[in-house]
Amino acid sequence: MWKYLIEKEFKQFFRDPGLPRMALAFPVLMMLVFPFAVSMEIRNIDLAVVDNDTGRESSLLVEQCTSSGYFRLVTLCHDPDEAQRLMDENRADAILTILPGFDEEVSTGTGLPAGIKVNTVNGTKGSIGAQYISECVRMYLAGKNVNVPSDDTPRMEISEKYYFNPYMDYKLFMIPALIVIAVTMITAFLPALNIVSEKEAGTIEQMNVTPVSKTAFITCKMIPYWAVAFFILTACLAIAWAVFGYTCRGSIMLLYLFTVLDIIVMAGLGLLISNYSSNAQQAMFVIWFFAVIFMLMSGIFTPVASMPDWAQAITYLNPMRYYADAMRAVFLKGSNLRDIWYDAAGLAALGAVMVSWAIMSYRKSD
Amino acid sequence: MAAIEIRNISKSYRDIRAVQDISLKVDEGEIFGLIGPDGAGKTTLFRIMTTLMLADSGSGEICGHDIVRDYYGIRKIIGYMPGKFSLYQDLSVRENLEFFATLFGTTIKDNYDNIKEIYSQIEPFRDRRAGKLSGGMKQKLALCCALVHRPSVLFLDEPTTGVDAVSRKDFWTMLRRIRSSGVTIFVSTPYMDEAALCDRLALIQNGGIIGSGTPEEIVSAYPYRILAVKGPSMYPLLKALRKIDGTVSCFSFGDCHHVAYDPARTCREAILGKAAEEGFADCSAEEISPGIEDCFMQLSGKWILN
């Protein structure tokens, strides 16, 4: 009987005009488009330079900036007002002002008469742009081999080395997170909508007068989505390897294990949503609510550690937090289960609560 | 053993009492009709008997299986066709039928003779998706799906609602054939004209049974006599007839008014005379025997009395 129930679900899945295509397009889009689109790497900062010195040194500094690849030189002018106008018109993101006497003061090492002005309407772009410019100035000075300000106190050299993602490649950072989003959407929200639509169509009632148990019916309903979730996980890993050359540092089995844990939590959540909503519209709204909270409070886009304490407390209830953390740790760092046992424990605890709550409310809806 | 027996079933939704203290007994192999208007509690009673819902109080058995304790046993031996078409729209006719057959652990082939008569009418469309069928064919498919596992009792919740007059007639012919194969049929309908087609029936109103028996028994228990009155201006006539001494009620039935009167207090001539006094001289009145609907009106207590 199970075989026929599952067969029916697959039949309906593949007969749906949109679902199979979506399942196929989702990982491809996720892997090939989103890593670029959601990249927080800042490039193409429009830079206006106000050069009031026009000496050799100032042109060297400008060259240092433009050759870094982060900046697009919009104009090289002598009038600060013009540069300001460009910024007001949104054509320049940053202004580098070189004051008269730059050449001389840098050569003698008495000072660095230059100023940086950054448009921070877009906060991320602004602060990162400012960092880049200072970095360029520092590099320029390093190239000059002068100390600014020149004094005789011993200096500490600080150099940075980035572990696990040495080039700060944002795409590499996002790929495990995108898998997390895809798996969650497929395993929690699609089955919920499916069950609610059976409710709406009245077919669930027809099923309930047959000898098929509710458990068998619901489980068979979810199995195709689990299959799709594993397909998406596999496809995403394959695309990441084939297109970007990224491989998982840790055990791939561990990725699958965490996906199984996540699926259990999400199955419970999906069933809960379907129990508490009587039509697709209600379900959609609840889904949207959870999807937004899960994503924004998961640490996928913004680090959990930089959230205020109360917000951090909320993230402990978010299954996506554990799943995303684990997937990144395994994929980027090669962590093993001992390193990230707390993620597994978090998912398992949430899963136990969700599933028992879902089953209880499902029984009650009898 | 009775096919269906329920005792003192009550069910409330919050403070709305949907079904109150209903007891029914349905014998094997009969068509039992549950007749009542929308909102009378028919579907609630169906859901309780088909084990989809628990009653607040009361007990019952379907073919000897307790409706609470042995719900699983009941699900194997009943067929249920809800009022709303609820088969899988995206599966074909054949797939739907096959699917429901498998759920009961049987096949179309084994039970083909049971559904042949109905299925043969939709078989030409067996590869069409159920959602793309016409209303009448959907109904036939639903009936096939409810019959494919040879149920002992067939529950049909308002099967003819929204179906045209010819199809309704066909449908009742099908029900009679199904009954002849020994299946007990419990059917609900808001149409009073279908009541006469049942072997026995119960009239339900506001969650309570207001009368039951064979159609003949119900009609013969009617305590008054009925005149079908026609006249030129019907609505003023209706109001005038209601005022006449000795008439118990008067309702509009299609193209005439049914005037129920107490034969001990008045007669046809007296009523016509009174109507003429009121200015309705050219009325025609005919003695008719009461129908189920007249009985329902009387039993439901919807009297406009004098």
Side-chain angles (χ1 to χ4, degrees), chain A residues 1 4-5 8 11-12 15 198 200-203 205-212 217 366, chain B residues 47 50 52 72 75-76 80 82 84-88 90-91 95 99-100 102-104 129:
Chain A
M1 190 188 291
Y4 286 95
L5 281 170
K8 173 213 134 218
K11 235 180 224 168
Q12 287 186 306
R15 212 163 271 183
E198 287 230 7
E200 264 183 315
T203 43
E205 191 150 303
Q206 188 83 67
M207 292 301 306
N208 284 345
V209 290
T210 65
V212 174
F217 181 62
D366 217 345
Chain B
R47 291 175 58 84
T50 52
L52 285 170
Y72 192 75
R75 288 179 185 182
K76 284 190 202 159
Y80 175 45
K84 196 176 138 207
F85 178 73
S86 39
L87 300 174
Y88 289 100
D90 44 3
L91 296 184
E95 282 166 344
F99 178 67
F100 281 98
T102 347
L103 293 187
F104 288 95
R129 297 202 185 165

Side-chain angles (χ1 to χ4, degrees), chain B residues 180-200:
Chain B
S180 65
S181 68
V183 179
T184 309
I185 300 173
F186 192 92
V187 57
S188 75
T189 176
Y191 301 120
M192 302 287 167
D193 55 327
E194 291 180 350
L197 303 169
C198 304
D199 296 324
R200 284 201 311 131

Side-chain angles (χ1 to χ4, degrees), chain A residues 51-65:
Chain A
D51 190 351
N52 289 322
D53 191 58
T54 53
R56 201 182 70 88
E57 293 301 326
S58 68
S59 58
L60 272 177
L61 173 61
V62 172
E63 203 188 297
Q64 178 75 47
C65 291

Side-chain angles (χ1 to χ4, degrees), chain A residues 83-112:
Chain A
Q84 185 59 48
R85 190 176 52 79
L86 283 174
M87 186 179 273
D88 291 344
E89 288 170 4
N90 234 348
R91 282 159 61 197
D93 298 314
I95 301 172
L96 174 66
T97 312
I98 298 167
L99 297 174
F102 182 83
D103 229 26
E104 196 191 308
E105 286 196 41
V106 168
S107 309
T108 57
T110 50
L112 184 66

